[in-house]
Amino acid sequence: MFEQDRVIVRLQQRVAAESDILVCFLSGSFGRRTQDAFSDLDVALVFADEKRRAAAYSRRREFAQSVLPYVPARAFDADHVRPYFYVTLYSNGAKVDYRYETKETLQPNPWDKEIRLLKDSEGWGASFQVAAATTRLPQPTITAAELTTLDNRFWVMLWDVYRLLLRGDYDKPYPIYLQLLHFTIPSLLAVLPSEEPAHQSLLDITYGRDTRATIEHLRRLLTVYLSARAAVVQRYNLLFTPDRAFEIAIQNLLRK
């Protein structure tokens, strides 16, 4: 749908013409051959050393635009993700994440277990792929201290949202509700496998102008949160002791 094949053909032509790019490969869904019409492209560009990488990165905008020279694009550095990471949004709908790597800094890792080589000087990319295939994904984990911090913030923000909704206020509690979800839900989803029932229940998130309906959802959210927390405690064998008296009182209060 978004002309990814066109991007790949043009990218392969461009990297072939760049002698400093020793290896270029696709990772992610294109590396696994599981892409669909809406997949983005994860592109690794590998250089011999830091000097050559830095020089190429200084021309990153020109390179990204040269892949599709007649397609307007918006691109930006994504240092919050990783160093030397350049995200490009082409106006034909394609999204390409360019990773600028060096042979020294790019170590075999589980995220590159399956790749599609577009350029491979002296077989380095093939050797890297073999080594990466033996690596394992790190297991998600959470500590009792981390869960305690998450739990404390959940209760504070849940209480703030609930009180304001009871007042009939829609606007003021909304940003607090977003903070509650941002701080709580991703952390729990990350440590609960998708087949865990509590994982799926956490995906049912709603908020609306009907404050009564939102209050009813907040009651369900509390039940789902407690189930997810219990699943995390059991799965990771955490020494975590909830305040049952307080939590039962709050649940009873929300039922009124």
Side-chain angles (χ1 to χ4, degrees):
M1 179 178 180
F2 292 140
E3 301 185 352
Q4 297 101 323
D5 289 341
R6 180 184 173 196
V7 176
I8 293 172
V9 170
R10 284 286 305 163
L11 175 63
Q12 195 161 22
Q13 293 171 346
R14 284 293 296 113
V15 298
E18 293 282 344
S19 59
D20 280 350
I21 299 177
L22 301 182
V23 178
C24 174
F25 63 79
L26 306 179
S27 58
S29 60
F30 277 89
R32 296 188 299 270
R33 274 72 171 178
T34 60
Q35 76 276 3
D36 58 27
F38 307 97
S39 298
D40 59 4
L41 289 105
D42 301 290
V43 177
L45 306 172
V46 185
F47 299 84
D49 51 46
E50 182 60 37
K51 180 179 179 181
R52 287 177 174 83
R53 174 170 70 170
Y57 198 71
S58 69
R59 302 187 300 272
R60 58 196 178 279
R61 181 173 183 79
E62 292 82 355
F63 177 83
Q65 188 62 75
S66 72
V67 173
L68 293 179
Y70 304 111
V71 176
R74 177 166 183 158
F76 53 90
D77 297 329
D79 294 335
H80 62 286
V81 177
R82 60 190 297 165
Y84 296 100
F85 193 70
Y86 197 58
V87 176
T88 304
L89 309 176
Y90 295 101
S91 57
N92 67 352
K95 173 179 178 286
V96 183
D97 296 335
Y98 293 103
R99 294 161 43 194
Y100 284 67
E101 307 277 7
T102 72
K103 291 172 65 176
E104 180 180 357
T105 59
L106 180 58
Q107 298 297 313
N109 64 87
W111 294 276
D112 291 331
K113 291 176 67 170
E114 298 178 83
I115 61 176
R116 175 179 170 183
L117 288 163
L118 301 184
K119 181 180 181 180
D120 188 11
S121 300
E122 301 178 356
W124 188 91
S127 298
F128 169 79
Q129 184 174 16
V130 170
T134 64
T135 61
R136 294 176 178 269
L137 282 170
Q139 294 300 308
T141 186
I142 187 170
T143 66
E146 290 168 339
L147 182 60
T148 298
T149 299
L150 182 152
D151 193 61
N152 288 338
R153 290 190 64 175
F154 174 84
W155 287 106
V156 168
M157 291 185 286
L158 179 82
W159 185 246
D160 283 344
V161 172
Y162 178 67
R163 290 185 302 105
L164 292 168
L165 288 172
L166 284 177
R167 185 188 289 164
D169 192 337
Y170 162 81
D171 294 330
K172 191 172 182 180
Y174 182 60
I176 305 172
Y177 183 71
L178 292 180
Q179 292 177 52
L180 183 155
L181 298 182
H182 173 73
F183 187 80
T184 305
I185 305 302
S187 297
L188 294 177
L189 290 175
V191 295
L192 287 174
S194 57
E195 63 270 17
E196 168 70 48
H199 179 110
Q200 295 301 318
S201 298
L202 287 170
L203 302 177
D204 181 22
I205 304 299
T206 61
Y207 190 95
R209 290 188 178 276
D210 184 341
T211 53
R212 290 186 179 181
T214 302
I215 288 173
E216 180 58 36
H217 169 70
L218 211 62
R219 297 184 182 116
R220 294 196 301 272
L221 177 61
L222 175 56
T223 301
V224 168
Y225 168 77
L226 293 175
S227 297
R229 190 190 67 185
V232 168
V233 171
Q234 181 179 13
R235 184 176 185 84
Y236 295 95
N237 194 26
L238 300 180
L239 188 61
F240 177 87
T241 305
D243 187 338
R244 295 295 187 192
F246 169 80
E247 294 181 2
I248 291 172
I250 293 296
Q251 286 179 289
N252 291 334
L253 182 64
L254 263 65
R255 292 192 187 104
K256 292 180 179 179

